[in-house]
Amino acid sequence: MSRTTATVAASLPDHWEQLVTTALLGTDRRTPPGMAPGPQTPSDLLDAAAAATVRRRAGLCPARPAERLRPAPEDPRPPLPHAAARRLAALLADRPGASGGGRRGAAPDLMELLPQWLQAANARGYAAPPQALPALLDAARGRTDLRPAALRFAGPRALWLARLNPDWRFALRAAPGGGPSAPDLRDPQGIRRLWQEGLFTERVTLLTALRSRDAAAARALLEETWATERAEDRLMFLDSLRAGLAPDDETFLERALADRSRNVRETAAELLSALPASALAARMAARAAACVAVDRTRDVPTIVVEAPHECDAAMERDGVVAKAPAGRGERSWWLGQLVEAAPLGTWPGRLGGRTPEEIVALPVADGWQGELHAAWCRAAVRQRDAAWSRALLGEPSAPEAGGPGAVSLAERARLLAALDAGERAAWVAGFIETHGLSEAFQLLGVCAVPWAPPLGRAVVDALNIARDAGSYPWSFSGVMGLAERCLDPSEASRLDALLAIPDEPEDAAPGAGSYWSEAFQRLVTTLRLRGAMLAELAPEEPAP
């Protein structure tokens, strides 16, 4: 440092902000404090700034050292086989293209295979490779549907990482016990403290986790603060009782029927109606049975309906909504709610000892069939009654695709969910053989993966028929995407004959043949890739 600089540095106060301001304005417009104007001023300013910088840095007090991070917890699960770890890295590295829609080409969509890979890895009990955890958490952050499987696979180390990165805090909210103050479920004092002092999301997570371990303890915790909770919180807490709903919950739910919130009352009534032996179910059964009977004086036994003429206070307390939506008659609205909430076991005794199939087959007088059958559909879904669901669906080959009781594709899908996986697949396969794929997309979505062989064959045959007919191919893209994820990988060999570009009929959509060929190539490639993925997850043989 020059003598001039040393003199300036020693005599000049450390007015850092003034030096910065002078540098911005220029020394011709402002003279730095303690300096004389002249040609040497810019150099003096820079020397002063350099000296001030040294003083500022030297004058910093050292910060108190941060607490050393505790090591990440150990994951006791067995490590992934090497081939499976490489596959996971490839799946996580794939990202959807930025171009949006349009044709996808023949390459598989790797990100769409990630949920299935995670499910298979979790079923085998593998631990995630530590180096894959950041990418896995990033993927789960962007797709909420991945989170349960991704966090289960990521294990305890994911929670350790999530506490270090705000972008991954969703893992702390989503995983039971993930919150920083979440207690061990075997620690009653910690549970009570979190329930009384925790954030809403922490309390919901705690209640759900405790419910799965000790339903009575979870219910007691909820009863303790029920009267002081906000209405929207009471609704969410009440909704958590759906998992593991049991007769022991009836007393608490009966009290909730008198809640000051209408939404809470309606949810409590819905839950009680799903308990066939509850007092509310018995009250609703008596009301519904008074409205529906069999007229045996006609040539053919016929169901007759006398809908309620009023909605009294007792009905409202039991969850019946008095005001009908626009376009609905009040009496039919009340009737539907009563029948929906009545146990389905009410009807065989009330209607002459008939089976569900025989009841559904009876004619209904005065145009009440649609309303009555729709209410039975909702009851079968709520009560998960396979016999009634089967009766209301009818035969899949029936001319009326919806069956005798279903009112929409969504309703049929919900009815199918009450059947076991094999019966569900067989019904949808029969539906596709009769009605084709145009209405089957929602029904396919409720079938177990991989699809059972009869269902897989029905889907492939229907796609082949559409291909040979020169049908507009893009309307089948949704079903083709489902097939890529849900067909059994062993079906790939059956599809080789469909890879060639077919001859296009004169009335075919332009370019349909090449699209179908490309789509089947992608389907075959994806199926073989899924087969390889599953093989890679098999335990590795020990080295000799």
Side-chain angles (χ1 to χ4, degrees):
M1 186 181 293
S2 67
R3 183 180 301 175
T4 303
T5 303
T7 303
V8 170
S11 61
L12 186 66
D14 186 9
H15 299 306
W16 178 255
E17 294 299 331
Q18 296 182 36
L19 294 174
V20 172
T21 302
T22 302
L24 291 173
L25 294 175
T27 55
D28 56 337
R29 299 178 62 187
R30 172 179 288 191
T31 302
M35 299 182 192
Q40 187 66 21
T41 304
S43 298
D44 291 344
L45 174 64
L46 293 177
D47 287 343
T53 299
V54 172
R55 283 203 301 270
R56 285 164 59 86
R57 290 177 178 174
L60 287 177
C61 295
R64 183 170 296 177
E67 182 181 351
R68 184 186 296 271
L69 280 177
R70 294 181 180 179
E74 292 295 326
D75 193 331
R77 298 174 296 177
L80 272 177
H82 293 297
R86 290 193 297 270
R87 179 74 65 189
L88 174 62
L91 294 176
L92 291 171
D94 188 71
R95 291 290 184 271
S99 58
R103 293 172 67 160
R104 289 170 45 202
D109 187 345
L110 298 185
M111 273 301 288
E112 288 304 313
L113 296 180
L114 183 57
Q116 198 166 114
W117 188 97
L118 289 170
Q119 181 182 15
N122 283 331
R124 290 162 174 77
Y126 288 121
Q131 66 273 17
L133 290 176
L136 187 63
L137 286 168
D138 281 339
R141 179 191 178 204
R143 287 183 53 176
T144 56
D145 62 307
L146 281 178
R147 290 182 183 179
L151 293 178
R152 178 183 170 192
F153 177 62
R157 289 174 174 170
L159 301 182
W160 182 86
L161 281 174
R163 295 187 180 100
L164 304 176
N165 186 346
D167 289 343
W168 299 332
R169 291 295 172 86
F170 69 87
L172 303 178
R173 297 189 297 269
S181 59
D184 189 316
L185 292 181
R186 294 164 296 187
D187 175 13
Q189 292 183 347
I191 288 174
R192 186 175 300 278
R193 182 169 56 253
L194 180 59
W195 180 251
Q196 294 174 347
E197 302 174 4
L199 300 174
F200 174 70
T201 53
E202 294 175 324
R203 300 176 74 209
V204 171
T205 300
L206 172 65
L207 188 65
T208 303
L210 187 60
R211 175 83 175 169
S212 64
R213 176 184 287 250
D214 187 343
R219 190 172 55 251
L221 201 65
L222 185 55
E223 288 178 314
E224 186 178 299
T225 60
W226 180 257
T228 61
E229 303 287 357
R230 300 182 305 168
E232 55 267 34
D233 293 353
R234 294 198 304 277
L235 183 62
M236 289 293 293
F237 292 145
L238 197 62
D239 203 58
S240 70
L241 299 184
R242 293 182 188 277
L245 185 67
D248 290 344
D249 298 316
E250 181 181 358
T251 302
F252 172 70
L253 292 172
E254 273 284 344
R255 289 201 298 270
L257 289 176
D259 196 89
R260 53 189 180 275
S261 166
R262 189 187 72 179
N263 290 333
V264 172
R265 294 195 301 270
E266 291 175 1
T267 301
E270 179 188 346
L271 293 173
L272 282 167
S273 68
L275 296 172
S278 68
L280 178 136
R283 296 193 296 269
M284 298 302 261
R287 293 175 181 127
C291 299
V292 181
V294 173
D295 184 353
R296 296 179 177 82
T297 65
R298 306 192 184 203
D299 294 338
V300 176
T302 301
I303 293 177
V304 291
V305 174
E306 181 66 28
H309 289 272
E310 65 173 344
C311 179
D312 57 32
M315 288 170 60
E316 288 195 64
R317 182 185 181 277
D318 284 347
V320 177
V321 179
K323 184 175 177 58
R328 287 287 303 273
E330 284 186 333
R331 296 182 65 198
S332 65
W333 171 245
W334 299 332
L335 174 76
Q337 294 179 78
L338 295 181
V339 174
E340 176 183 356
L344 289 164
T346 302
W347 302 110
R350 173 63 175 163
L351 302 178
R354 293 175 171 84
T355 65
E357 287 81 2
E358 291 169 338
I359 291 172
V360 169
L362 289 174
V364 183
D366 303 325
W368 283 103
Q369 177 169 319
E371 186 69 51
L372 185 60
H373 283 195
W376 277 335
C377 281
R378 296 192 298 273
V381 169
R382 181 183 294 187
Q383 298 170 37
R384 299 193 63 81
D385 190 298
W388 274 89
S389 295
R390 195 176 296 119
L392 291 161
L393 281 165
E395 292 297 323
S397 58
E400 48 184 32
V407 294
S408 67
L409 281 169
E411 195 78 55
R412 289 172 235 167
R414 288 192 286 269
L415 288 169
L416 282 167
L419 307 181
D420 65 58
E423 186 177 2
R424 198 183 314 161
W427 196 95
V428 177
F431 181 93
I432 291 172
E433 290 168 1
T434 303
H435 305 289
L437 287 169
S438 59
E439 294 189 45
F441 185 78
Q442 284 182 285
L443 306 182
L444 288 168
V446 300
C447 293
V449 177
W451 287 336
L455 178 57
R457 287 193 295 270
V459 171
V460 172
D461 291 345
L463 287 170
N464 191 20
I465 291 170
R467 165 185 177 270
D468 290 343
S471 300
Y472 192 70
W474 296 274
S475 61
F476 293 91
S477 60
V479 174
M480 192 66 83
L482 268 181
E484 291 172 20
R485 300 188 295 275
C486 302
L487 267 177
D488 193 300
S490 63
E491 295 286 329
S493 57
R494 291 186 56 239
L495 297 169
D496 286 337
L498 303 178
L499 299 182
I501 299 177
D503 296 330
E504 296 183 3
E506 293 183 2
D507 57 346
S514 61
Y515 175 92
W516 280 113
S517 174
E518 183 181 90
F520 277 115
Q521 287 178 25
R522 183 173 63 249
L523 176 58
V524 170
T525 304
T526 303
L527 291 178
R528 288 183 172 142
L529 176 57
R530 285 176 50 214
M533 283 167 36
L534 294 176
E536 292 163 356
L537 286 165
E540 291 178 324
E541 296 291 335

